[in-house]
Amino acid sequence: MKLYKLTFNSLSSISKLPDAQTIFGAVCCIISFTQGEDVLERYITSFNTNNPLFVHSSMFIDTLLPMPKVGLISIDEKNKNMSSLSEKEQLSYLSHLKGFKKIRYISYDVYKDYIVDSRFNDLRKDIESNKLKIENGIVSKTNADYQLADQLVYHTNKETNVDEDRLYYDNNQYFPDDTKFTIYVKTDDIKFVKSVFQYSQYFGFGSRVSVGKNCFELVDVDMIQYPKSNNEVLLLSKCIDTTFDLEESSYTLSSETYKGSYYYSSNTIGHFNKFEEGSFMRITENKEYYGRLIEADNGKKIYHYAIGFVI
């Protein structure tokens, strides 16, 4: 399978960048409405083979990847450093450590120069010596020009036959106007991928599309090549898989209950524990992707995307 980068513009405010499961739901909806149920069935059943029509990642800011879930300073080293410091120096040292915890993303150059070869000690040293910059939770070789911001937005729901208005809120994320966004895809049929994602601006990725949120326009498709380690992979989507060497991996887990969409079936699909994006997994077998599509039947057949897209 070839690796592609799909680039998007945002056409609206954003609740949050969609993960791979959210994108999968939108893909199924787009295929169903624009190409029909037969094509949707062909897409779904292709996951039962070793060569699905395509697999995709979560969405990221263009040129950025999730920071690997690797502790740059071990607990033993932290304790050793703390024991040799005065009380005042300990506070300064703890403040210094917080900077590492706030890292959310890395630039592609950092991935290529440090992560592929697991040079995490060098990564830490170069951050501490200011060879690399941390700005807005992003590690890069130059100051990252991304002013990431979250804001809760409050709304009033005016209902008939109700004396008081009902207050509710949702989240907005803000980015510079010229920010591009990326979804990575592996496929042998990029024409089919384009036929789906060209409609993304009309269907959106996620909730509240009907009120003008979470709409993205496909603007570019590029075939790319990323360097890859022989022993580890970086997850770019949440994943359920039992073949990783967990003792040699660095990861975090999300634990969530998922439901189907309201228009199709709001029944609960299941409660899943998944490796999160940025998990740095030691592999026992080199594959294009890990995990699987999970099928549930709660009156209607529903699918959950638990496929780990990796580089």
Side-chain angles (χ1 to χ4, degrees):
M1 301 173 80
K2 297 180 178 67
L3 174 63
Y4 293 87
K5 184 177 79 167
L6 311 186
T7 305
F8 296 83
N9 281 331
S10 171
L11 301 178
S12 66
S13 59
I14 301 171
S15 298
K16 64 177 182 178
L17 293 184
D19 65 9
Q21 163 60 22
T22 299
I23 296 166
F24 172 73
V27 164
C28 291
C29 188
I30 291 171
I31 294 174
S32 175
F33 276 89
T34 63
Q35 302 189 46
E37 292 297 318
D38 290 343
V39 179
L40 176 59
E41 182 66 19
R42 182 164 68 92
Y43 167 65
I44 294 295
T45 56
S46 74
F47 289 99
N48 296 329
T49 71
N50 292 324
N51 190 31
L53 286 174
F54 69 89
V55 294
H56 63 271
S57 72
S58 298
M59 179 179 278
F60 303 97
I61 301 169
D62 191 30
T63 75
L64 299 184
L65 295 167
M67 173 67 186
K69 308 292 187 182
V70 175
L72 296 181
I73 302 177
S74 68
I75 294 176
D76 289 341
E77 184 177 356
K78 290 177 187 177
N79 293 337
K80 181 180 178 181
N81 291 341
M82 286 286 287
S83 64
S84 64
L85 298 174
S86 66
E87 187 173 318
K88 184 176 180 179
E89 289 172 329
Q90 286 179 356
L91 292 175
S92 177
Y93 179 67
L94 290 173
S95 177
H96 165 72
L97 295 182
K98 285 183 179 180
F100 290 103
K101 292 182 178 180
K102 293 179 181 178
I103 299 172
R104 297 164 57 191
Y105 300 103
I106 55 174
S107 67
Y108 169 71
D109 286 341
V110 172
Y111 166 78
K112 176 172 63 72
D113 293 346
Y114 295 89
I115 308 306
V116 172
D117 295 323
S118 301
R119 295 176 53 226
F120 292 104
N121 285 334
D122 292 335
L123 176 62
R124 186 196 72 184
K125 291 175 183 177
D126 286 350
I127 291 174
E128 291 178 330
S129 65
N130 293 321
K131 277 189 174 181
L132 298 173
K133 311 296 182 184
I134 300 179
E135 187 77 22
N136 299 313
I138 300 166
V139 179
S140 62
K141 291 188 175 182
T142 59
N143 287 331
D145 188 23
Y146 294 103
Q147 300 298 318
L148 313 181
D150 291 341
Q151 181 182 30
L152 284 177
V153 179
Y154 291 85
H155 307 269
T156 300
N157 188 4
K158 294 185 176 294
E159 300 181 2
T160 58
N161 302 321
V162 177
D163 294 333
E164 296 184 0
D165 296 335
R166 184 167 60 88
L167 190 67
Y168 70 96
Y169 64 88
D170 59 11
N171 190 66
N172 271 0
Q173 290 187 343
Y174 294 96
F175 304 87
D177 292 338
D178 59 350
T179 303
K180 304 293 184 185
F181 303 90
T182 295
I183 296 172
Y184 296 95
V185 167
K186 290 182 180 179
T187 184
D188 289 324
D189 189 355
I190 191 59
K191 184 177 179 180
F192 178 72
V193 173
K194 291 179 180 178
S195 75
V196 174
F197 284 95
Q198 67 178 336
Y199 292 102
S200 60
Q201 66 191 87
Y202 307 110
F203 288 82
F205 297 132
S207 62
R208 306 190 63 75
V209 174
S210 62
V211 295
K213 299 191 73 169
N214 303 314
C215 295
F216 298 86
E217 177 189 17
L218 178 66
V219 295
D220 209 356
V221 177
D222 297 294
M223 187 167 69
I224 60 174
Q225 288 185 331
Y226 272 12
K228 185 177 178 181
S229 168
N230 292 325
N231 300 315
E232 289 91 12
V233 292
L234 181 66
L235 284 180
L236 300 188
S237 62
K238 296 181 179 70
C239 172
I240 297 176
D241 195 283
T242 59
T243 63
F244 297 123
D245 182 348
L246 297 185
E247 290 188 2
E248 298 296 328
S249 300
S250 299
Y251 56 89
T252 57
L253 292 171
S254 66
S255 182
E256 298 180 70
T257 299
Y258 289 88
K259 294 183 177 181
S261 63
Y262 287 107
Y263 86 92
Y264 182 72
S265 171
S266 59
N267 291 335
T268 297
I269 301 173
H271 188 95
F272 302 119
N273 299 313
K274 298 192 286 188
F275 298 110
E276 293 189 320
E277 297 90 343
S279 294
F280 196 64
M281 311 303 292
R282 175 66 62 88
I283 55 176
T284 57
E285 181 183 355
N286 205 327
K287 299 194 291 186
E288 294 281 3
Y289 63 91
Y290 297 83
R292 61 190 175 90
L293 202 65
I294 296 174
E295 179 181 329
D297 193 339
N298 295 316
K300 286 188 175 182
K301 197 173 287 186
I302 307 174
Y303 298 92
H304 186 79
Y305 192 88
I307 290 174
F309 190 99
V310 296
I311 55 173

